[in-house]
Amino acid sequence: MVNNLPEKISKLKEKRNAVILAHNYQRPEVQMVADYLGDSLDLARLSAELDADLVVFAGVNFMAEMAAILDPDKRVVIPDRGARCPMASQLPASTVRRERKEHPSAAVVLYVNTLAEAKAEADVVCTSANAPQIVNFLSEEEILFGPDRNLAWFVQRRSDKRIVPIPANGHCYVHKMFSPEDIRLLRERYPDAEVLVHPECDPEVQMLADHICSTSQMMLRAKASPARQFIIGTEIGLVERLRREIPDKEFIPALNSAVCKDMKKHTLEKVYVALRDKKYVVRVSPKVAERALEAVQRMLKISGRGTSD
Ligand code: 13P
Ligand code: SF4
């Protein structure tokens, strides 16, 4: 165990001209050493603009891949290469190709929680912060949307287009843990609390929420809202950030056990080693990266046009 890690990380960062990007679900001690902390959309936007020689990405595989795709000249490293979002593996590129053949007039919109090979088959990608905005911008009436079925449901409620989930049952095991009973009980206990849930939650849970939004949108809502108490239906790392940054309000996790095991694989020590040894390098084949980049850039362009949903 290395002592004074935050200090050592800060010195190494300067020496390497490095930047640490971290997702809102990271352990609090990793969040604290990050230069930027955000949701998938924030981190994608930042990755496209960074001026650094090395990017340490404390997030899951698809997020680090996206940073590498957005700036192929930059070295992107991930502290634990086993940090892999299981949902992203639920939609192989071959399934996207097959579905496209079966629905030739549909547009393919893929959630960022996909691997680069799948993104390379998409017309455009989206995040939980902008999915309805992206879908409604397109001219096609039929949209193949994947891999999260619950996000597809959320989009369908905000669009007149026909949304076809691919695969039929893509999901996040963490957000599947929330139940409508939990939310109802918490509402009874905290009648003045505002309920914020992520669109990866089941429809029955979404229907009980006051706001359904991405993790960074939850931060913004909690700051802007007149409410003093909030019930939070997403991974526990965000609750830790909310409590730290908004200490005068109360945040009640809808479920204490909502922990993404893969996000938590990055530790402070691994972040230090990643900086020191410049590992583990995230590689995407140039051919795949080029095609995936088009779909990601299209999202950033559309998303920049108006407020995210
Ligand atoms: P956000 O983009 O809202 O941070 O969500 C990413 C994610 O993986 C949710 O499980
Ligand atoms: Fe993937 Fe769910 Fe973890 Fe998000 S919370 S990274 S969707 S497994």
Side-chain angles (χ1 to χ4, degrees), residues 23 25 39-40 62-63 111 113 128 175 198 200 214-215:
H23 186 264
Y25 295 162
D39 68 2
S40 322
F62 73 83
M63 296 179 178
Y111 190 25
N113 297 39
S128 58
H175 288 86
H198 197 276
E200 288 176 15
S214 83
T215 55

Side-chain angles (χ1 to χ4, degrees), residues 147-192:
D148 189 26
R149 191 187 173 85
N150 288 342
L151 184 62
W153 182 86
F154 170 80
V155 172
Q156 185 64 87
R157 304 251 301 179
R158 289 156 182 79
S159 178
D160 294 332
K161 296 174 190 281
R162 198 165 95 80
I163 312 294
V164 182
I166 56 166
N169 200 21
H171 64 278
C172 162
Y173 77 96
V174 181
H175 288 86
K176 277 265 172 207
M177 290 180 196
F178 298 102
S179 73
E181 290 70 34
D182 291 337
I183 306 287
R184 273 193 209 102
L185 283 172
L186 285 167
R187 264 208 192 276
E188 269 172 37
R189 212 161 134 202
Y190 303 96
D192 297 330

Side-chain angles (χ1 to χ4, degrees), residues 231-257:
I231 294 162
I232 305 295
T234 194
E235 209 266 356
I236 205 81
L238 183 80
V239 178
E240 280 147 359
R241 181 176 178 197
L242 286 161
R243 285 177 176 159
R244 193 176 60 245
E245 293 188 18
I246 317 175
D248 57 325
K249 296 190 178 181
E250 189 184 355
F251 298 97
I252 301 122
L255 193 66
N256 276 307
S257 56

